[in-house]
Amino acid sequence: MAGPVFLFLGEALWLDLANTAPQFHTATEQLDVLPDADLARAWLLAAGLPGLDHRTDPASLFTLRTEFIRLADALATGARPPTSSISAINGVLRGTAGRELLTRTAGSWRLRFLPMAPAGALEALARSAAVTLADPLGQVRRCAEVSCQRLFVDATPHQTRAWCREQCHASTAVERRRIHRPIATA
């Protein structure tokens, strides 16, 4: 028996997690893709992340998802990121043990953080959100397809991307042609 199928846009894991919430699905199907801890574990596995370890209860993942949704909504509308979202991200990242290391890359010095152990699921998700926030070229957007509304990162040079994936773009184009088709009169 095949496991559940999850949609990953492949840009920012934190937005993929936010997109599992009910508000990002069609109006007729208000589905929470992760209604329980078992499906949350399956989503983490499908995302290539380690499962929730003994230190982390599934409620922490759902709390972080709620903060990611608040953060994404703010970024998509040009509002300031909520303090609670930044605090949640920093709280997770603060628990990551490691050290700073100075390295030379392509002729310039860079300061890098090296974790002492592989990142856990929550740490990887929080880092994904932090990387998006720190990237001046990436903009969080909401899909222009009315029935979709998923969140994605627009990192195109002119910040003109409007759809989360090609299927949404094609669906919008088909609808636009249907609306503008001349009506035959007899």
Side-chain angles (χ1 to χ4, degrees):
M1 177 172 139
V5 177
F6 301 108
L7 175 65
F8 293 95
L9 298 178
E11 297 160 342
L13 276 176
W14 74 279
L15 289 174
D16 288 333
L17 178 61
N19 285 334
T20 64
Q23 65 262 40
F24 301 112
H25 300 279
T26 65
T28 59
E29 161 191 315
Q30 291 294 313
L31 173 71
D32 186 347
V33 177
L34 306 180
D36 57 41
D38 289 335
L39 279 173
R41 287 183 185 93
W43 184 89
L44 291 170
L45 182 65
L49 296 172
L52 297 174
D53 60 23
H54 65 280
R55 300 169 294 155
T56 311
D57 66 273
S60 301
L61 180 68
F62 295 116
T63 300
L64 194 57
R65 178 176 76 167
T66 300
E67 290 302 331
F68 286 167
I69 293 166
R70 288 183 185 137
L71 176 61
D73 283 340
L75 295 175
T77 60
R80 292 185 76 156
T83 303
S84 63
S85 299
I86 302 302
S87 295
I89 292 166
N90 282 334
V92 172
L93 293 177
R94 195 175 296 116
T96 306
R99 64 182 185 278
E100 297 285 347
L101 183 66
L102 187 62
T103 61
R104 190 158 177 89
T105 307
S108 63
W109 291 101
R110 301 244 195 275
L111 188 60
R112 291 187 27 210
F113 177 78
L114 294 176
M116 299 295 255
L122 296 183
E123 290 87 359
L125 289 162
R127 178 146 174 70
S128 173
V131 166
T132 301
L133 278 169
D135 181 1
L137 301 178
Q139 292 286 319
V140 173
R141 301 223 189 279
R142 209 173 268 297
C143 185
E145 170 58 40
V146 176
S147 66
C148 178
Q149 297 293 299
R150 283 187 180 88
L151 297 157
F152 64 93
V153 175
D154 178 6
T156 60
H158 299 291
Q159 304 286 297
T160 57
R161 185 172 157 204
W163 297 277
C164 68
R165 55 196 176 130
E166 191 56 41
Q167 292 93 323
C168 289
H169 182 215
S171 174
T172 302
V174 167
E175 183 64 22
R176 197 176 314 123
R177 282 193 302 272
R178 187 188 67 76
I179 290 171
H180 296 295
R181 186 176 5 178
I183 300 173
T185 56

